[in-house]
Amino acid sequence: MKKFQSLIILIRKNKNIIIINYHYKFFKDDEKMGKVKKEDIMSILETYDKENITIATLGSHTALHILRGAKQEGFRTAVVCEKGKEVPYERFGVADEFIFVDEFKDIVNDEVQEQLKAMNAIVVPHGSFVAYAGLSNVEDKFNVPMFGNRDILRWEAERDKERKMITESGIRMPNKYENPEDIDKAVMVKFPGARGGQGYFICSSFEEFQEKIEEMKSRGWINDDDVADAHIEEYVCGTNYCIHYFYSALKDEVEVLGMDSRYETNIDGIVRIPAQEQIEANLSPSYVVSGNHPVVIRESLLPQVFENGDRLVETAKELVKPGMNGPFCLQCLVNDDREIVIFEMSARIDGGTNTFMNGSAYSYIQFGEFMSMGRRISREIKNAIEEDRLDVIIT
Ligand code: ADP
């Protein structure tokens, strides 16, 4: 968030006092702003031929339906692909142009950026794009028009920011424990970094916490630095829903487009082992997503679903202007009080949208046609071009 501080300087000169009062712009560390400025992106966009926009993304994650959806809406498409990983985009025929790179992270190289701009490309960011390109590079170096609010990506990446946004929205999250000594019921202990939940564990007391920490260390899954950064939260016993929303900044409206639940290895394998053998097998769970199931939620929970989406969008407008823009996802557990408890948020298209490449129950009800999340993004871009309001949805 931008802040201005008035600084008053008094200079004694020839016994007269000159007061210099000027505004000094500063950012606190935790409010880092990217170096890629909206004004610069808008100047690039002005040079674009709006009749010939290309929708581009990195060849991974949700690229298939982002590109297919773009074609359905009449755009040309481009995929930035690591050499050897182009097969799905060729075989499914979703990409008009291929930009080959040695490694995914090269998408931020000047040469690739120039190629994208020459195609009048609007890039759709997804989870792998952010992971491979690197968040700081997206914020500071990637000078290509992007769909959505690039400043919000940091809010999903940092656990404290994510918690701030969700709790300030008045949405229920698992309670956080500041000290392991305070553990008084089942908790889940998580560690930083993308490790697919390896080393995460469940325990119910401080003693058990200490024992499991030692066990994870001896397995080489965590080290002392990780222990210092352990995140401890209430274990929510419930069923998993990942709810895929789309916020249309053009219409100022939140849509629910689909839901999935995760298929995670090896936790979903472990629960297939009977209890006695589980104990003997002495396996530790990990939570690497290997697939997704489409789901629908009981209808009486839908008011809560919409309320959570609406609240988050309002809070995001305050915390990271202009706020949400396009797809976002709330990952939740529904407990037996029928309460939706959110444990994670994505502020861009989430991988679980792959469960409805041909539309979901909800997107069909909303649009009366097969609407994937990828297609919805391109529909928004198309509407913005028609209304001459691309500035609302591009950063
Ligand atoms: P990561 O982001 O490191 O993959 P997550 O926060 O998504 O980790 O958690 C991994 C899995 O653990 C989730 O998919 C969910 O099944 C489960 N989980 C996460 N938080 C809780 C919680 N507070 N209570 C119960 N299960 C949880």
Side-chain angles (χ1 to χ4, degrees):
M1 190 195 295
K2 261 191 234 176
K3 287 208 173 148
F4 292 87
Q5 176 174 278
S6 259
L7 196 70
I8 298 174
I9 299 182
L10 305 175
I11 301 177
R12 208 173 261 279
K13 192 179 172 194
N14 300 333
K15 290 189 188 154
N16 293 323
I17 291 177
I18 300 169
I19 299 177
I20 302 173
N21 180 1
Y22 70 99
H23 293 284
Y24 167 63
K25 196 176 181 181
F26 79 103
F27 305 115
K28 284 199 279 175
D29 267 1
D30 66 339
E31 291 172 347
K32 177 183 178 298
M33 298 291 288
K35 292 197 192 101
V36 176
K37 293 279 165 278
K38 171 122 181 170
E39 308 84 80
D40 302 333
I41 295 292
M42 288 305 116
S43 324
I44 296 168
L45 208 55
E46 261 168 38
T47 66
Y48 273 19
D49 173 1
K50 310 287 186 313
E51 305 288 305
N52 281 303
I53 296 286
T54 299
I55 303 298
T57 195
L58 193 71
S60 179
H61 198 262
T62 41
L64 277 178
H65 66 94
I66 289 174
L67 300 175
R68 168 61 66 218
K71 283 175 93 64
Q72 285 170 312
E73 294 301 306
F75 290 106
R76 280 189 70 71
T77 58
V79 65
V80 180
C81 227
E82 216 172 81
K83 282 176 200 138
K85 296 199 174 158
E86 66 278 15
V87 177
Y89 314 104
E90 272 176 5
R91 298 284 280 269
F92 286 115
V94 293
D96 297 313
E97 309 274 354
F98 287 79
I99 300 177
F100 287 103
V101 288
D102 291 331
E103 291 177 89
F104 280 133
K105 67 178 172 51
D106 296 338
I107 189 170
V108 294
N109 288 357
D110 291 344
E111 199 186 305
V112 178
Q113 294 193 35
E114 289 313 315
Q115 286 185 64
L116 286 166
K117 283 187 270 189
M119 294 176 185
N120 304 305
I122 293 177
V123 169
V124 178
H126 52 54
S128 300
F129 169 75
V130 178
Y132 289 120
L135 187 50
S136 299
N137 285 337
V138 176
E139 291 172 329
D140 300 339
K141 287 192 190 153
F142 193 64
N143 284 293
V144 182
M146 256 174 57
F147 175 73
N149 177 0
R150 74 172 79 201
D151 290 331
I152 210 166
L153 298 171
R154 187 163 287 281
W155 285 76
E156 65 161 62
E158 293 178 14
R159 230 191 268 282
D160 288 344
K161 278 188 154 43
E162 177 187 52
R163 178 164 283 270
K164 182 176 161 84
M165 187 172 289
I166 296 173
T167 51
E168 285 195 8
S169 305
I171 297 174
R172 167 96 154 86
M173 275 197 102
N175 296 326
K176 182 181 168 190
Y177 285 71
E178 296 300 339
N179 295 306
E181 287 90 342
D182 299 337
I183 297 172
D184 54 355
K185 58 178 177 180
V187 295
M188 187 157 188
V189 181
K190 303 180 182 181
F191 298 96
R195 56 179 76 222
Q198 198 172 59
Y200 288 17
F201 62 82
I202 295 154
C203 66
S204 303
S205 66
F206 180 49
E207 291 68 34
E208 199 186 341
F209 172 86
Q210 287 172 308
E211 275 167 31
K212 292 211 167 151
I213 287 282
E214 289 313 315
E215 187 188 325
M216 296 302 160
K217 282 204 304 197
S218 68
R219 286 178 186 238
W221 285 359
I222 57 170
N223 58 36
D224 287 328
D225 288 344
D226 295 324
V227 177
D229 290 333
H231 168 88
I232 307 168
E233 67 182 35
E234 164 196 5
Y235 186 82
V236 180
C237 189
T239 40
N240 175 231
Y241 298 83
C242 299
I243 304 170
H244 304 289
Y245 297 90
F246 185 92
Y247 172 63
S248 168
L250 295 178
K251 295 193 293 172
D252 187 22
E253 201 172 281
V254 176
E255 299 160 4
V256 171
L257 284 202
M259 295 180 200
D260 79 284
S261 75
R262 303 284 138 105
Y263 207 25
E264 291 164 331
T265 184
N266 61 0
I267 184 70
D268 285 311
I270 289 178
V271 295
R272 290 170 59 87
I273 304 174
Q276 190 58 43
E277 283 80 5
Q278 268 186 33
I279 293 167
E280 281 159 19
N282 191 26
L283 293 162
S284 286
S286 56
Y287 299 85
V288 181
V289 177
S290 61
N292 308 73
H293 315 273
V295 287
V296 290
I297 204 164
R298 61 187 288 172
E299 198 152 312
S300 58
L301 287 168
L302 282 173
Q304 245 190 95
V305 167
F306 278 104
E307 193 180 336
N308 286 346
D310 290 347
R311 281 168 177 249
L312 198 84
V313 160
E314 286 312 310
T315 310
K317 283 180 188 165
E318 297 299 318
L319 292 179
V320 52
K321 288 186 174 33
M324 281 295 171
N325 192 344
F328 66 100
C329 171
L330 292 178
Q331 298 187 34
C332 70
L333 294 154
V334 176
N335 64 23
D336 54 9
D337 290 330
R338 292 179 214 164
E339 193 182 21
I340 299 183
V341 186
I342 308 290
F343 64 90
E344 193 155 279
M345 147 189 109
S346 310
R348 35 86 200 154
I349 190 167
D350 179 274
T353 56
N354 284 339
T355 52
F356 61 99
M357 297 200 204
N358 58 344
S360 74
Y362 299 108
S363 76
Y364 189 75
I365 287 186
Q366 181 83 33
F367 290 95
E369 60 185 323
F370 297 129
M371 183 63 70
S372 68
M373 188 61 89
R375 184 173 187 183
R376 181 66 188 90
I377 292 169
S378 280
R379 176 74 55 94
E380 188 82 346
I381 296 172
K382 193 162 101 177
N383 290 342
I385 294 171
E386 278 167 17
E387 295 170 24
D388 196 17
R389 293 171 69 204
L390 268 180
D391 59 309
V392 178
I393 59 165
I394 302 295
T395 51

